[in-house]
Amino acid sequence: MNFENILVNKTAALAQITINRPKKLNALNKATIEELHHAFDALESDENIKAIIITGSGEKAFVAGADISEFANFSVEEGSTLARAGQEMLFDFVENLATPVIAAINGFALGGGLELAMACHFRIAADTAKMGLPEVSLGVIPGYGGTQRLPQLVGKGKAMEMIMTAGMISADDAKDCGLVNHVTTQEELLPLAEKIASKILRNSPVAISAAIVAINANFKDGVNGFNTEIEAFGASFGTQDFKEGTTAFLEKRKPNFSGN
């Protein structure tokens, strides 16, 4: 599949998506959101791909926000439709992928860019990266899940401060408050993401997918995360990966997981 705004590369079981609009600091417009959806959907369907890294082109920006020119003149109804469609097509879609997604934040992750990073399963950042949700400085609020995911990651008080001040925080501050897992140099960002991904690739894909579902369940209204965990734990006993994993452990060898 050919894309205009993103690049997709595959190396064995690992895929990398690069948002490639450097002249716009990789800002998210409608076309880019649609392309990202199609790319993630295709990679999720690819049985060979076991982990995905997403990053931005260049060293300035992961995603510097949404393309404001596309919605500056929207009505109330159009604004609600924009947020709902975007959340369903990309942000919620990424969060609920069975394939682990690592955000490698190489520069500015602002507005929709930070919201995209937060939808990923976890984040690492270059030490030059800056993160924030500046929407209130434009008279609007985060609309792609920012008011929901940021408090989950950094706590209510810190999220309130970040959103109400519209300020940016450094990569080190983001690590201190739990927004990112690791901070490294720009040069080592993708190698670190690949190193972490390689550890993920050693483990059972079917178990990882079940763990994603169980962890996400804790943050969904009306869903009992403990029950989800119990059911997923029990279902694991019926998989080929469980048989392989336990047999390999008892035989003191490395497992060869099939993802079934």
Side-chain angles (χ1 to χ4, degrees):
M1 185 178 293
N2 295 322
F3 298 111
E4 293 185 3
N5 300 301
I6 65 174
L7 305 172
V8 179
N9 295 301
K10 302 178 187 178
T11 305
L14 178 63
Q16 179 179 315
I17 298 174
T18 304
I19 301 167
N20 189 35
R21 301 184 73 212
K23 292 182 180 180
K24 294 286 188 178
L25 293 180
N26 303 325
L28 292 179
N29 60 359
K30 181 180 178 181
T32 305
I33 287 174
E34 290 176 352
E35 288 188 8
L36 285 169
H37 169 81
H38 290 306
F40 277 115
D41 191 35
L43 293 173
E44 176 84 335
S45 300
D46 188 334
E47 294 182 356
N48 295 316
I49 298 301
K50 308 301 182 187
I52 303 168
I53 296 168
I54 182 168
T55 192
S57 62
E59 297 184 357
K60 289 185 177 181
F62 172 73
V63 173
D67 197 330
I68 297 169
S69 62
E70 284 195 336
F71 57 81
N73 296 314
F74 272 19
S75 66
V76 171
E77 292 76 14
E78 288 172 321
S80 296
T81 299
L82 176 73
R84 183 174 292 105
Q87 288 193 28
E88 292 175 355
M89 180 178 294
L90 182 60
F91 300 86
D92 292 350
F93 187 78
V94 169
E95 180 179 71
N96 292 300
L97 283 180
T99 306
V101 182
I102 304 169
I105 303 172
N106 55 302
F108 290 111
L110 304 175
L114 181 55
E115 288 172 305
L116 176 58
M118 291 192 294
C120 298
H121 296 119
F122 59 92
R123 292 142 294 283
I124 65 174
D127 52 15
T128 53
K130 301 287 186 181
M131 285 155 263
L133 295 176
E135 284 87 347
V136 298
S137 68
L138 301 172
V140 69
I141 70 169
Y144 287 144
T147 64
Q148 305 304 298
R149 292 189 179 97
L150 187 62
Q152 292 171 4
L153 292 166
V154 306
K156 181 180 177 181
K158 183 65 174 178
M160 286 281 194
E161 179 185 352
M162 287 181 63
I163 291 171
M164 288 192 285
T165 62
M168 293 186 293
I169 63 173
S170 69
D172 286 333
D173 286 343
K175 183 176 183 294
D176 288 342
C177 68
L179 185 53
V180 303
N181 292 23
H182 305 279
V183 175
T184 187
T185 63
Q186 184 74 241
E187 295 73 20
E188 290 299 315
L189 180 65
L190 288 176
L192 176 59
E194 292 166 1
K195 180 180 180 181
I196 295 171
S198 71
K199 294 180 179 180
I200 292 172
L201 297 178
R202 299 172 194 166
N203 301 314
S204 161
V206 67
I208 288 171
S209 298
I212 290 171
V213 171
I215 293 167
N216 282 342
N218 184 56
F219 299 98
K220 297 186 184 300
D221 289 339
V223 177
N224 187 313
F226 289 99
N227 284 341
T228 302
E229 179 185 279
I230 290 167
E231 292 170 1
F233 177 79
S236 298
F237 284 73
T239 67
Q240 291 298 317
D241 276 5
F242 173 75
K243 294 180 176 64
E244 169 62 14
T246 51
T247 300
F249 178 83
L250 295 171
E251 294 178 351
K252 295 181 172 58
R253 62 174 174 82
K254 292 183 179 180
N256 181 24
F257 292 117
S258 66
N260 297 306

